[in-house]
Amino acid sequence: MASPDHIQSLSLSLPVNSSKANDAGIMALEKESLSSTPPATHNEHGIFHQPHEYRHTTVDGQPPYAEHGPLVDHKVPQEDVVQSEPDLAWSRFRHFMREPLSEFFGVFILILFGDGVVAQVVLSNGTKGDYQSISWGWGLGVMLGVYTAGISGAHLNPAVTWANCVFRKFPWRKFPIYMVAQTLGALCASGVVYANYKSAIDVFEGGAHIRTVPGYSDTATAGIFCTYPAPFMTKTGQFFSEFIASSILMFLIYALKDDGNLGAGNLTPLGLFFIIFGIGACL
């Protein structure tokens, strides 16, 4: 007959051995599971990618929430995780067009505020604002446009995109689609402003089908949507006026983004507001 001490020894050792066995079994299962699933890799663009056949599937063989792609692997930095193979056509379109659409809506907001404030000042004969109001409106438009188009870099201007291609190694292959998106955004926003102020334009011009440009009429409204030179400006003066303003704009943008100097960091949109306001008010 076993002694009490021996029984106590057995009772204490059994749970320990059983626990070790369970742990060993769990570790073996985990090892087998890991060995049966190939590790996730990064493609040639440095984008995290998990083979499609190892995504979780439903009964009918389709991945759950296919629009959102594979489930999140929290062991991988999420900034590296990109939906590289979306399963729905809309997801593919949204993924590959997110930068152009970002530029489109950023420019849309910019022109909506910029042309809108000019229309308000011009069509009210200065009773609803003045030139200072126009500088404020364009500054606000740029600031809000940058907040809108942050995912694409918020160029908001083909000249800015071109300068980034030349001086900041921005891919030239993206320049055409950026330029098209920016132009379409500006045209659509101008259309919205025109539709919003059409009745006021009709009254200001003197008729529903009368539209004139500066220099040919005292009630011209074409200047709401584009810039016309003053009568005294020569071609050389016009060139240098635009060249100086654009050069100062790009110089200050790069200064705001230069973290090696002082840099504006998260206050870059606010800094751009003051840049646009200053250029409009001073240059």
Side-chain angles (χ1 to χ4, degrees), residues 205-217:
E205 288 271 24
H209 302 290
I210 301 175
R211 298 293 183 266
T212 55
V213 298
Y216 296 91
S217 171

Side-chain angles (χ1 to χ4, degrees), residues 115-271:
D115 282 359
V117 68
V118 176
Q120 181 171 278
V121 172
V122 170
L123 299 177
S124 68
N125 284 314
T127 61
K128 303 290 186 181
D130 52 20
Y131 188 79
Q132 195 83 328
S133 303
I134 294 176
S135 298
W136 280 98
W138 279 101
L140 288 170
V142 169
M143 182 180 70
L144 297 175
V146 170
Y147 277 119
T148 302
I151 192 174
S152 62
H155 296 180
L156 307 185
N157 189 329
V160 175
T161 304
W162 182 86
N164 285 333
C165 290
V166 174
F167 298 109
R168 289 295 184 268
K169 296 183 179 180
F170 188 76
W172 280 103
R173 59 183 173 80
K174 292 186 177 182
F175 177 75
I177 189 64
Y178 266 55
M179 182 176 64
V180 170
Q182 292 157 356
T183 303
L184 290 177
L187 290 173
C188 290
S190 298
V192 171
V193 172
Y194 179 82
N196 188 45
Y197 285 95
K198 183 179 183 302
S199 298
I201 292 174
D202 291 342
V203 173
F204 190 81
E205 288 271 24
H209 302 290
I210 301 175
R211 298 293 183 266
T212 55
V213 298
Y216 296 91
S217 171
D218 294 332
T219 58
T221 56
I224 294 173
F225 304 99
C226 56
T227 302
Y228 286 85
F232 59 84
M233 291 290 290
T234 64
K235 297 296 183 182
T236 303
Q238 295 171 28
F239 171 80
F240 277 104
S241 175
E242 294 299 317
F243 178 81
I244 292 172
S246 298
S247 298
I248 293 298
L249 172 64
M250 290 308 307
F251 179 82
L252 292 176
I253 288 175
Y254 288 150
L256 289 178
K257 297 299 294 181
D258 186 3
D259 294 331
N261 182 20
L262 180 60
N266 293 332
L267 295 178
T268 296
L270 182 61

Side-chain angles (χ1 to χ4, degrees), residues 42-48 80:
H42 289 73
N43 62 17
E44 65 274 12
H45 303 292
I47 298 175
F48 178 78
D80 295 336

